């Protein structure tokens, strides 16, 4: 009877490299990605308003691939605001961004979550987007992965004055760009309304007037009865519809 052991050994030796190839874990490939966050109708969100939080996740598993905060300037005003055409290049080297290198082993649906502006926590909003990424293929072309952050930042203050409750609001896009009369972000395009709430009920509402640059709105209201109130300031751009809100607690003695 022929001895097949030698043949079997030779066959196993020939197949072993292929077996090891399929058994070995896949090696990850460094995959660079650049994320930029641009304020609606304005410029990039960076240092001037605390930046935007960035989280990149594997959309299927939920595993965090990278996270951080955008850093840098708001970018070149003319290049951004006068850009036209399809997917215009708006970023310059100094424009705020978050840079990361993802270790991908397979085609991955990546979810981008952005929250900001971090320096305006009372008005911060969150947005998400998804993109397919391939191992080793950079996501850095053009402006990188650019996402729009909608809304306005509203910073309210209130004080008890002899004339009544003095209310002020600083209003700005999420990048901190200035609202001025006749400016690129024309203060005449914005309206700001104050409302007083107590126990879930709205007690009073009134529109604020623009009083100072950049983005200063104010009004004095008659004092309410003694008690604790929530003051809500809602700002809106009449042209774009962009809006934002800020609120604080007010104690009337």
């Amino acid at each position: 009877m022929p001895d097949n052991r030698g043949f079997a050994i030779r066959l196993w030796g020939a197949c072993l490299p292929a077996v090891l190839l399929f058994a070995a874990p896949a090696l990850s490939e460094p995959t660079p990605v650049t994320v930029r966050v641009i304020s609606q109708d304005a410029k990039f969100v960076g240092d001037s308003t605390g930046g935007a939080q960035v989280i990149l996740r594997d959309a299927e598993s939920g595993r965090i691939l990278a996270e951080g905060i955008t850093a840098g300037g708001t970018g070149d005003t003319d290049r951004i605001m006068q850009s036209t055409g399809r997917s215009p290049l708006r970023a310059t080297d100094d424009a705020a961004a978050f840079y990361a290198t993802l270790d991908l082993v397979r085609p991955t649906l990546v979810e981008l979550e952005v929250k900001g502006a971090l320096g305006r926590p009372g008005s911060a909003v969150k947005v998400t987007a998804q993109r397919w990424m391939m191992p080793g293929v950079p996501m850095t072309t053009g402006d990188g992965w650019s996402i729009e952050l909608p809304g306005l930042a509203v910073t309210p203050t209130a004080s008890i004055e002899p004339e009544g409750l003095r209310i002020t609001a600083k209003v700005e896009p999420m990048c901190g760009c200035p609202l001025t009369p006749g400016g690129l972000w024309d203060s005449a395009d914005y309206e700001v309304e104050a409302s007083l709430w107590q126990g879930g009920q709205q007690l009073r509402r009134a529109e604020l007037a623009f009083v100072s640059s950049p983005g200063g709105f104010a009004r004095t209201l008659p004092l309410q009865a003694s008690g604790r109130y929530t003051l809500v300031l809602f700002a809106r751009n009449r042209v774009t519809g962009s809006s934002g809100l800020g609120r604080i607690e007010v104690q009337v003695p």
Side-chain angles (χ1 to χ4, degrees):
M1 182 175 182
D3 187 354
N4 292 324
R5 286 178 297 176
F7 173 76
I9 292 172
R10 290 193 299 273
L11 179 62
W12 173 249
C15 294
L16 183 59
V19 172
L20 292 176
L21 176 64
F22 285 103
L27 298 177
S28 63
E29 292 191 55
T31 308
V33 58
T34 299
V35 176
R36 286 190 169 90
V37 181
I38 192 161
S39 177
Q40 180 184 356
D41 189 41
K43 301 170 67 179
F44 292 102
V45 180
D47 299 341
S48 59
T49 53
Q53 181 186 44
V54 175
I55 301 177
L56 292 162
R57 290 189 178 91
D58 182 322
E60 295 177 342
S61 69
R63 181 172 66 92
I64 293 179
L65 304 173
E67 59 183 324
I69 297 172
T70 59
T74 57
D76 184 296
T77 302
D78 290 341
R79 181 167 179 159
I80 296 170
M81 302 308 296
Q82 296 179 15
S83 60
T84 59
R86 297 170 58 184
S87 301
L89 299 180
R90 297 176 291 184
T92 48
D93 290 342
D94 63 335
F98 168 69
Y99 302 96
T101 299
L102 311 184
D103 292 323
L104 301 182
V105 299
R106 55 177 173 77
T108 304
L109 181 60
V110 177
E111 181 174 274
L112 168 62
E113 178 184 300
V114 168
K115 182 179 180 180
L118 296 181
R120 308 292 187 268
S123 301
V125 297
K126 183 190 298 183
V127 291
T128 60
Q130 293 183 339
R131 281 190 182 183
W132 281 101
M133 295 184 65
M134 288 291 291
V137 180
M139 186 70 71
T140 57
T141 304
D143 290 345
W145 191 344
S146 181
I147 187 169
E148 183 177 274
L149 190 65
L152 301 170
V154 182
T155 305
T157 61
S159 60
I160 306 298
E161 306 289 345
E163 299 81 11
L165 179 64
R166 181 64 175 175
I167 300 169
T168 64
K170 171 72 177 295
V171 179
E172 56 196 340
M174 292 296 189
C175 57
C177 296
L179 273 59
T180 58
L184 192 56
W185 295 275
D186 192 345
S187 57
D189 293 337
Y190 295 80
E191 59 185 18
V192 181
E193 184 181 77
S195 56
L196 275 176
W197 298 73
Q198 189 180 59
Q201 299 293 317
Q202 181 177 258
L203 305 178
R204 188 181 185 91
R205 59 193 297 178
E207 188 167 338
L208 275 62
F210 181 79
V211 295
S212 63
S213 296
F217 293 78
R219 179 157 182 171
T220 300
L221 297 180
L223 285 177
Q224 299 290 124
S226 178
R228 190 171 183 83
Y229 301 86
T230 299
L231 172 64
V232 175
L233 291 174
F234 178 73
R236 186 176 73 94
N237 183 308
R238 299 185 185 94
V239 178
T240 66
S242 182
S243 62
L245 184 144
R247 53 190 164 193
I248 55 174
E249 297 299 308
V250 176
Q251 181 68 48
V252 176

